[in-house]
């Protein structure tokens, strides 16, 4: 089976599972996921599963990437913050659907690799930094949208503050019990933050501070 065929199969599966936004489906078609996974896993790049990446982290399952992106209700004027760059795959998908993506990763090794992929693909509207994403990116706030791709026990207050007051949307996985998380969508209107729970998920934890190793 060749890669293009596997990719089309995956996109059809996602469509059947409710990803109906054609802009998102074409972004998934345009970004080569095989470039974002370690070489031994390239064969599995178009299976609908998360895969291990360097530094003991994971690249999310394509369905979860598509679902979170769809729930973010992006348009091409949006300025988006992503916390947890990882492989860079989610940031690459976002970059095709909004004006600018700011992405933060605590491992320098991962960020370097992600940056190389962005350059290779000519994705010039992504700005990245090594840091603690729970602190957000104050110089660039407020953000129209925020996506956190690592799980926390509660919504990091600084991120809530950096969300645009009038209709800002944030998606993040929250711990609900040991080994249990759910994806939550928060919509901000002034000081009101509406919470909506969306889907049980499994993400790596949001860890405080910049990684000391690597
Ligand atoms: N969005 C990624 C998924 C990465 S997994 C992708 O598309 O591949 C989550 C990532 O969040 C990991 O790389 C982990 O190192 C990072 N992370 C965890 N806590 C963090 C923090 N406080 N600040 C920044 N990145 C963090």
């Amino acid at each position: 089976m060749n890669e293009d065929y596997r990719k089309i199969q995956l996109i059809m599966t996602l469509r059947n599972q409710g990803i109906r936004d054609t802009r998102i489906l074409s972004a998934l078609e345009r970004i080569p996921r095989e470039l974002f996974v370690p070489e031994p896993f390239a064969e599995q790049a178009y299976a609908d599963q998360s895969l291990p990446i360097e530094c003991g982290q994971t690249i999310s399952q394509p369905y979860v990437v598509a679902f979170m992106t769809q729930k973010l209700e992006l348009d091409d004027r949006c300025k988006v913050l992503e916390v947890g760059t990882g492989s860079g795959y989610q940031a690459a998908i976002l970059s095709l659907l909004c004006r600018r993506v700011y992405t933060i990763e605590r491992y320098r090794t991962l960020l370097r690799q992600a940056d190389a992929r962005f350059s290779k693909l000519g994705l010039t509207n992504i700005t990245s930094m090594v840091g603690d994403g729970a602190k957000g990116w104050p110089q660039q706030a407020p953000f129209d949208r925020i996506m956190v791709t690592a799980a926390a026990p509660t919504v990091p207050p600084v991120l809530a503050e950096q969300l645009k007051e009038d209709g800002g949307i944030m998606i993040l996985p929250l711990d609900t019990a040991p080994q249990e998380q759910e994806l939550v969508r928060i919509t901000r209107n002034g000081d009101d933050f509406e919470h909506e729970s969306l889907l049980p998920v499994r993400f790596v934890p949001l860890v405080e501070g910049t990684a000391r190793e690597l």
Side-chain angles (χ1 to χ4, degrees):
M1 252 205 299
N2 74 32
E3 223 143 57
D4 284 348
Y5 180 75
R6 289 196 189 118
K7 188 190 270 190
I8 298 300
Q9 290 285 101
L10 172 64
I11 288 167
M12 279 166 44
T13 307
L14 298 180
R15 200 182 170 284
N16 289 335
Q17 290 174 338
I19 310 300
R20 292 295 159 84
D21 185 331
T22 51
R23 293 181 65 221
I24 296 176
L25 295 171
S26 32
L28 291 161
E29 199 177 339
R30 273 180 59 193
I31 300 295
R33 192 166 181 262
E34 67 275 19
L35 285 190
F36 292 81
V37 303
E39 175 55 30
F41 296 103
E43 282 284 298
Q44 284 149 268
Y46 295 103
D48 190 17
Q49 60 190 36
S50 61
L51 291 169
I53 56 173
E54 258 94 322
C55 306
Q57 306 303 313
T58 53
I59 173 171
S60 309
Q61 179 190 348
Y63 175 73
V64 173
V65 170
F67 181 83
M68 288 175 82
T69 306
Q70 186 161 273
K71 290 291 181 188
L72 218 46
E73 297 178 10
L74 294 168
D75 68 48
D76 50 18
R77 287 159 310 191
C78 283
K79 179 173 167 182
V80 181
L81 173 68
E82 182 200 25
V83 174
T85 316
S87 67
Y89 182 71
Q90 174 74 72
I93 297 291
L94 292 171
S95 79
L96 298 183
L97 302 163
C98 69
R99 183 163 56 83
R100 195 152 222 20
V101 180
Y102 293 87
T103 183
I104 309 175
E105 169 57 53
R106 62 191 295 278
Y107 283 100
R108 190 171 300 280
T109 307
L110 290 177
L111 199 70
R112 279 211 195 101
Q113 294 174 351
D115 280 342
R117 293 169 181 137
F118 303 150
S119 305
K120 183 168 182 183
L121 296 172
L123 306 172
T124 53
N125 62 339
I126 305 175
T127 309
S128 66
M129 75 165 176
V130 173
D132 181 356
K135 301 197 169 94
W137 197 317
Q139 298 83 350
Q140 294 300 337
F143 296 95
D144 301 295
R145 303 288 184 262
I146 298 178
M147 185 190 282
V148 185
T149 62
T154 53
V155 181
V158 178
L159 293 184
E161 280 165 26
Q162 292 183 14
L163 193 57
K164 192 178 112 188
E165 283 200 22
D166 165 23
I169 299 176
M170 166 155 55
I171 304 231
L172 79 173
L174 290 179
D175 301 325
T176 46
Q179 311 292 326
E180 269 183 43
Q181 303 162 1
E182 65 178 11
L183 208 54
V184 172
R185 174 162 74 175
I186 292 165
T187 307
R188 177 170 191 183
N189 280 299
D191 292 335
D192 181 53
F193 295 84
E194 184 199 338
H195 283 232
E196 211 180 324
S197 57
L198 302 173
L199 191 74
V201 283
R202 208 55 185 271
F203 277 87
V204 296
L206 187 75
V207 180
E208 211 178 290
T210 304
R212 213 175 301 158
E213 70 277 36
L214 301 165

